[in-house]
Amino acid sequence: MSRWRPDARERLEAAALELFERQGFAATTVPQIAERAGLTTRTFFRYFADKREVIYADDQFPALVRSMFADASADLSPIELIVESIRRFSNEELEHQRDKIRRRSAIVLSDPGLRERSLRKRAEIAEAIRDGLLERGVPARTATLLADTTANVFEVSLAEWIDADDGRVLSDLVLENLAVLRDALDGARHVAHGG
Amino acid sequence: MSRWRPDARERLEAAALELFERQGFAATTVPQIAERAGLTTRTFFRYFADKREVIYADDQFPALVRSMFADASADLSPIELIVESIRRFSNEELEHQRDKIRRRSAIVLSDPGLRERSLRKRAEIAEAIRDGLLERGVPARTATLLADTTANVFEVSLAEWIDADDGRVLSDLVLENLAVLRDALDGARHVAHGG
């Protein structure tokens, strides 16, 4: 009989989340996760390099950005391109798995090492957006500033979406927050041009 | 005779920067730094908790933000307040020590651990700005978005300033970059309001 299980990855993920929540991320070991999933430690390492990877398992954001930017219409402005990509990514990949994302987020917040990694992750997301813009010929300065800013806006929106219990849609929150930010920055217009 | 030296901190900093540059951050030890400065290891630890602290020694940014925000006129808009504070901070604290900041920055970029720490540092700077805005009654969402965004703009501007050899002034670069970002975000205005 083959020991291959088509649902091994999902079982390992579910077991890991439960253990992280119940006993903490730091106190949970790979053998415990494997045992709870009814699988071997060896099987665990076929899917994940370490227990941190379970949290970031389906984090293919940089690759996704690249393919969405490549698909997008050539006449979109840089910010339209980003907004469209975030909208698609949110609606197609994130909207239906809010509970899982919320649980992961709580685990990340509870562990200093994972929080550190989140900062690096945000930097990687910004870099993926920036590279995508550069490939479309956007000037470097604009690409860097827009990428950092929209990665931030996305992160802030994601946190609001996770906390919200009123059925708000992530991509709407992103648009709202972009509008709030634009209005706040507009207050400096005369400072910038009068200096 | 007292062994207290009024210039001990500066000598330790200068010795550390030279060694970090010559042999790398990771390969440099505290005893080597102390020896090069003509001081004891014990004296080193009177000024710095570890060798990383030498790089971030005079990094009082959160405290500075707090005092600048407290000093500022009550009728400034949030973004005007931030721009004014960055302008003062840049002109009074940074503009005259560009070479030292440039050297430190090169060391940070060369070491993965220091790069990690820079991400955390940027997050702390954003948090300091956010707290300062909240204390002045700015709504939480605006405070978070503006703080993250301006911390990014400041960081991008600082990197340009370090690289520039044409005598450009840091606070001018910050204003330029804010204007570039505003214009880029404006491209999404109809997307945000038309959705």
Side-chain angles (χ1 to χ4, degrees), chain B residues 26-47:
Chain B
T28 299
T29 66
V30 168
Q32 287 171 347
I33 296 168
E35 193 193 341
R36 183 169 183 88
L39 297 164
T40 63
T41 298
R42 190 173 157 158
T43 302
F44 178 94
F45 287 117
R46 208 173 294 149
Y47 292 95

Side-chain angles (χ1 to χ4, degrees), chain B residues 43 52 58 84 96 108 113 134 144 149 182 190:
Chain B
T43 302
R52 289 205 309 187
D58 50 11
E84 257 318 291
H96 61 285
V108 168
L134 289 175
T144 302
T149 302
R182 266 201 326 265
H190 71 279

Side-chain angles (χ1 to χ4, degrees), chain A residues 83-95:
Chain A
V83 165
E84 255 319 290
S85 301
I86 289 179
R87 174 145 47 191
R88 268 189 60 196
F89 176 63
S90 302
N91 293 345
E92 294 170 16
E93 309 285 336
L94 302 181
E95 199 60 54

Side-chain angles (χ1 to χ4, degrees), chain A residues 120, chain B residues 20-21 23-28 51-52 55-56 103-119:
Chain A
R120 197 164 64 237
Chain B
F20 293 161
E21 284 169 345
Q23 62 191 37
F25 178 79
T28 299
K51 65 178 178 173
R52 289 205 309 187
I55 297 285
Y56 297 105
R103 289 173 69 196
R104 285 187 187 186
S105 167
I107 294 162
V108 168
L109 288 175
S110 75
D111 184 84
L114 292 176
R115 283 203 304 272
E116 285 284 331
R117 180 151 176 172
S118 294
L119 291 177

Side-chain angles (χ1 to χ4, degrees), chain A residues 63-114:
Chain A
L64 263 167
V65 168
R66 212 156 293 130
S67 84
M68 286 185 174
F69 277 26
D71 287 355
S73 156
D75 61 0
L76 293 178
S77 74
I79 182 67
E80 287 171 334
L81 173 68
I82 295 172
V83 165
E84 255 319 290
S85 301
I86 289 179
R87 174 145 47 191
R88 268 189 60 196
F89 176 63
S90 302
N91 293 345
E92 294 170 16
E93 309 285 336
L94 302 181
E95 199 60 54
H96 62 284
Q97 48 180 343
R98 180 162 158 264
D99 279 341
K100 190 162 127 187
I101 294 168
R102 188 211 298 252
R103 288 172 70 196
R104 286 186 186 188
S105 166
I107 294 162
V108 168
L109 288 174
S110 73
D111 184 83
L114 292 176

Side-chain angles (χ1 to χ4, degrees), chain A residues 1 8 36 38 52 63 78 83 89 121-122 126 145 153 160 170 179 184 186 190:
Chain A
M1 295 283 286
R36 184 172 183 89
R52 290 204 311 187
V83 165
F89 176 63
K121 207 183 107 189
R122 185 172 80 178
L145 291 165
V153 168
E160 285 184 30
L170 175 55
D186 271 347
H190 69 280

